[in-house]
Amino acid sequence: MTGTLNGLRVIDFGHYIAGPLLAELLAQNGAEVVHVDRPGGPALAGLPDSWLNRGKKRITLDFRRDDDLETASDLIRSADVVIENFRPGVMDRHGLGARRSRSTDPRLIYCSLPGFAQDDPRASIAAWEGVVASATAGYRRLREHWDWKARTHATVDDAGRPLFTAIPMASNAAALLGAFEVVTALLGREKTGVGAHLEIPLSEAMLQIVGFHLEMPDFVGPRLDMPKPCLGSFRCADGRFVDNVSYPRFVEKLLIAAGAWEDWVSDGLGDMGAVFSDAVLGRRAERAFEELIATRTADEWESLAIQLGIPLAAVRTPREWLSQDHARESGVVMTLDDPEWGPVTMAGAALHASRSGTTITARSAPDADRATVLDDVRRRLESTPVFPTGVDGDAGDRPLAGVSVVEFSQVVAGPITGRILADYGADVLKVSNPAPHGNNGFHGSYTNRGKRSVFLDVEDPDDSAILRAAVSNADVVVQNYAWGAIERYGFGYDDVSVTNPDLVYVSMDAFTRFGPWRARRGHENQAVAATGLSSRYGGDGGWPIYQPYLISDVGTGIMGAFGAVLGLLHRRKGGVGQHISTSLSTVATLNQGLYLFDVPDGHSAIEPTGPSALGWSAVNRLYRAADGWFFLGARDDRVNDLRDALGMSTEDLPGTDLSADGPSAIALERYFRMGTRDRWTALLASRDISAQPVREIVDVAHDPVWHDRGVLRYGVNGEGTDRAPVLGFTAHPWSVPPRSAAASGPLGIDTETVRAEYSAHPVPPTRGENHEQL
């Protein structure tokens, strides 16, 4: 298995995170990637580089040298795909921009990942990760904290303080979206012969994560208390924590197995419906549950939960996750022999492809492949056809037009995969559970726009026949149930591929479909708990604090779409269908990949963690001005410019210790409190230093620039409110399908139409005897 992208040549001009990570995802799937380093080495040297630049050839080029610029131009002329994440205009100034590059080769796919789009008024600012996060409500404010001992509300001294995270949410999201769009453009090129210029700004990629909360603003709010009894993290007998999902049937099942059910009944807590609807009973149940969890260790509770099929997970540290048996056996983490560090355990493959496969090899040292790269470029240019000059190729029709998708999914990740495929032209049939108790998750523009929606019951022979007819005629199936659930009804890959061998079957679950935990249930919170992501932000007493956004759910949805188009491209290039899978835990691991390492000498990547963290350094962190918080974004070598812009002396700001909580940071804290955010923004902008006010969700939701660009829009949200701010469409070069631009309508709206459509199709025999509802 050589990978779907075998034979594809990618030139990676990326620096920091987004560009290199996108290129690394392509390298995993067989692409030949040449990474171009700047003089002095990568922006993120050391352990981060060992992850971001795996599997690539490397050459160092200095754009100030004419001969190196010519080499860069030759690299582009030899490429299928070019990736860059500079500010808009930088590559153009060097003669390496998209328009010029594609004028000589209309088949070229040129992918730009700036902080802000080229026609966004903020395009010229230095878009550090913290700047983008602040502009997109990535650092949501904490107005209250949870007193975990008393489990009551208590106001924090520093009300309104943002919750900082070092996880590069925007860069990671842009890399995932970029990987999907690049492969989608490759599919389009297979049909039209023409490539595309893709622009995926980090800020607009971050809106994919924030977008859920435009429609569900109270789902995970700025408070850290949990809205349901028995939901969230609980301390165990060994001082560790477990995270539990609060579904009545799961809580009851756990109580019975733990021998506590009779006590709950005698205490008047035996009616789960009342417990979950009455605030007084809910509070009593929560305290009783807290006392119960404190009687066993975290490992004991997790073992019982696995046995019972309950979504509960022990909260691990990142290092514990790296050594966990399932993580290693499933390939979610892996060990490579790095040329600098020796054996390094780090994040593994992003997905598993049953036929095309994935390959990950250790990085090369910067410039180690210069001779090979230059020789290869020369040979390629000698054999590459010359295209007519002055051609700005049209990307053509929607690349997924004519692709038929059947989506069996619930909650967040699976529906996002289907929504993304629909946005790019696919005909997506969403199958929901008609039973009143069915868990169909959320419904609205964010998760389900652009789809046909049906209620069909796998227990009903007629409905099951319709589903089999739909699947037998589909190009793609998407499902995000736990392993074994959909298989019980004969809709697993092994069953449906018999009648449809060309089917691309995409599975998403909590803990991957390989290894000891393949059948485990789980949601976002269990994935971030088990992988160590939540422990990075532990509060007092080590209590885990969760990200305010569903970064693993959303990322898994994007990854599912990436897997789908990889499968379609593999099939288009002469292959057959296959089973492609990813998981919440895989994406949770990827999200922390920049810091997730285990090396023999115990060295680790520097990461600011905990609720008191404010940033990476004195010149790259959050500060409080007289009227609120903002993010200061600058390189360490810009201290003199920073001092001059602010009118500070060397005594005021010596700049010798630039740690995030050192004397320079303390001096800046005092100084910034004396002026407003607008004042500091204007002063610093004069020296090309970024100061971005921390924004709330409501500010983002009504941002006029993003509404003008269509990446946000006013429509019907998940609660049925008209003219509400909802997620729009990424500015890809293809037109938006009319169905996606329209209101999504209620679940099941297309049921009768679809019944009539498939009633005349020949139907394979029903398989499976278990009639438990999906």
Side-chain angles (χ1 to χ4, degrees), residues 12-21 35 83-88 90-91 110-115 127 171 200 202:
D12 170 23
F13 291 102
H15 56 293
Y16 291 101
I17 304 164
L21 179 54
H35 178 72
I83 297 168
E84 60 90 10
N85 63 324
F86 295 99
R87 280 187 255 185
V90 171
M91 292 292 276
Y110 194 108
C111 184
S112 302
L113 300 101
S171 289
I200 304 158
L202 272 62

Side-chain angles (χ1 to χ4, degrees), residues 44-55 58 334-346 361-366 597-600 603:
L44 294 173
L47 285 172
D49 187 66
S50 72
W51 174 62
L52 289 168
N53 286 311
R54 301 182 296 191
R58 299 179 77 164
M334 66 182 303
T335 301
L336 291 176
D337 192 9
D338 184 77
E340 178 181 357
W341 301 99
V344 180
T345 303
M346 62 181 76
T361 58
R363 63 169 172 162
S364 295
F597 303 100
D598 188 8
V599 296
H603 189 86

Side-chain angles (χ1 to χ4, degrees), residues 152 206 436 473 491 620:
T152 58
M206 184 66 186
N473 288 279
F491 287 100
N620 208 275

Side-chain angles (χ1 to χ4, degrees), residues 21 51 54 167 172 318 321-322 326-327 330-334 345-350 510-512 527-528 530-533 536 551-552 556 583-597:
L21 179 54
W51 174 62
R54 301 182 296 191
I167 296 299
N172 290 348
W321 176 241
L322 287 171
H326 171 78
S330 65
V332 175
V333 304
M334 66 182 303
T345 303
M346 62 181 76
F511 293 105
T512 79
V528 300
T531 61
L533 185 54
R536 293 177 179 275
I551 60 173
S552 297
T556 303
S583 71
L584 295 172
S585 62
T586 300
V587 175
T589 302
L590 181 149
N591 271 319
Q592 53 190 321
L594 192 66
Y595 305 107
L596 192 66
F597 303 100

Side-chain angles (χ1 to χ4, degrees), residues 639-640 643 648-658 663-665 667:
V639 172
N640 288 338
R643 187 187 295 117
M648 299 178 74
S649 68
T650 54
E651 292 183 359
D652 295 331
L653 182 61
T656 53
D657 180 352
L658 293 179
S664 295

Side-chain angles (χ1 to χ4, degrees), residues 76-80 100-109 189 192-195 380-381 383-393:
I76 291 174
R77 290 197 297 130
S78 74
D80 296 287
R100 180 171 180 176
S101 299
R102 296 195 64 245
S103 69
T104 58
D105 181 2
R107 287 178 55 83
L108 180 67
I109 295 167
R189 191 175 77 170
T192 67
V194 177
R380 283 176 177 270
L381 292 182
S383 61
T384 299
V386 177
F387 293 96
T389 59
V391 175
D392 187 8

Side-chain angles (χ1 to χ4, degrees), residues 8-127:
L8 187 79
R9 184 169 171 83
V10 179
I11 308 302
D12 170 23
F13 291 102
H15 56 293
Y16 291 101
I17 304 164
L21 179 54
L22 162 53
E24 196 276 335
L25 290 170
L26 301 181
Q28 286 188 26
N29 290 281
E32 177 197 353
V33 180
V34 177
H35 178 72
V36 178
D37 287 297
R38 296 177 290 185
L44 294 173
L47 285 172
D49 187 66
S50 72
W51 174 62
L52 289 168
N53 286 311
R54 301 182 296 191
K56 306 176 186 178
K57 297 177 182 177
R58 299 179 77 164
I59 185 171
T60 298
L61 298 178
D62 186 347
F63 285 1
R64 296 168 296 184
R65 294 171 51 94
D66 290 343
D67 56 342
D68 278 2
L69 268 180
E70 184 177 354
T71 298
S73 180
D74 288 346
L75 283 170
I76 291 174
R77 290 197 297 130
S78 74
D80 296 287
V81 177
V82 169
I83 297 168
E84 60 90 10
N85 63 324
F86 295 99
R87 280 187 255 185
V90 171
M91 292 292 276
D92 290 317
R93 289 197 295 272
H94 292 297
L96 305 172
R99 180 174 290 275
R100 180 171 180 176
S101 299
R102 296 195 64 245
S103 69
T104 58
D105 181 2
R107 287 178 55 83
L108 180 67
I109 295 167
Y110 194 108
C111 184
S112 302
L113 300 101
F116 296 90
Q118 59 184 329
D119 59 351
D120 190 311
R122 296 159 288 202
S124 63
I125 70 172

